[in-house]
């Protein structure tokens, strides 16, 4: 009896279903958030945003403002135009681009690119 169970489990491979692929994509997406957001205070300090309260307010409000607009646009596209899969891929691609812009902003010491990256991620990050 033990050998029968062993033979059955040794030949079983986990199936790569659509839901597993989506779960993996969402996990990688959340991993990107988990790597960027906790380090945000260090990025802000490195770029000199701590010198002015107005600049800190701009960087803090850029993401939620863009997310309000992006949620409406991506929701409309998902309901009326593009297939949901394409909207999800657009969201993942845009978030990856925005996180690359964070790296570029830090390398170039550019506050403008950093704010732009927060706007881009706000527009497309709806997962």
């Amino acid at each position: 009896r033990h050998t029968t169970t062993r033979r059955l489990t040794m030949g079983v491979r986990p199936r790569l279903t659509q839901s597993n692929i989506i779960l993996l994509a969402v996990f990688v997406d959340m991993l990107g958030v988990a790597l960027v957001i906790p380090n945000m205070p260090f990025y802000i300090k490195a770029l000199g945003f701590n010198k002015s309260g107005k600049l800190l307010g701009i960087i803090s409000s850029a993401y939620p403002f863009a997310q309000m607009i992006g949620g409406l646009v991506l929701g409309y596209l998902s309901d009326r135009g593009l297939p949901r899969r394409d909207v999800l891929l657009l969201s993942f691609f845009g978030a990856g681009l925005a996180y690359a812009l964070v790296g570029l902003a830090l390398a170039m010491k550019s506050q403008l690119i950093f704010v732009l990256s927060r706007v881009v991620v706000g527009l497309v990050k709806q997962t």
Side-chain angles (χ1 to χ4, degrees), residues 3-120:
T3 56
T4 306
T5 306
R6 188 173 183 188
R7 274 187 239 153
L8 289 175
T9 57
M10 289 185 70
V12 175
R13 289 187 181 177
R15 290 182 27 180
L16 194 59
T17 62
Q18 286 181 345
S19 62
N20 287 343
I21 292 171
I22 290 172
L23 287 173
L24 178 65
V26 170
F27 173 75
V28 170
D29 188 40
M30 292 298 152
L31 185 64
V33 171
L35 293 174
V36 172
I37 297 300
N39 294 314
M40 197 66 69
F42 303 111
Y43 300 156
I44 289 171
K45 187 176 179 183
L47 293 172
F49 278 107
N50 58 345
K51 295 177 184 171
S52 169
K54 288 182 184 178
L55 289 175
L56 190 56
I58 290 172
I59 192 68
S60 298
S61 63
Y63 174 76
F65 181 73
Q67 195 171 30
M68 285 189 309
I69 296 168
L72 293 173
V73 171
L74 289 179
Y76 177 79
L77 287 176
S78 179
D79 290 341
R80 304 281 183 204
L82 295 174
R84 286 183 173 84
R85 177 182 175 264
D86 293 347
V87 173
L88 189 63
L89 289 174
L90 175 68
S91 178
F92 289 144
F93 177 75
L97 175 69
Y99 296 141
L101 284 175
V102 169
L104 182 66
L106 291 172
M108 296 178 62
K109 304 283 186 198
S110 172
Q111 294 177 347
L112 180 64
I113 294 175
F114 189 73
V115 172
L116 178 67
S117 76
R118 301 308 300 157
V119 169
V120 170

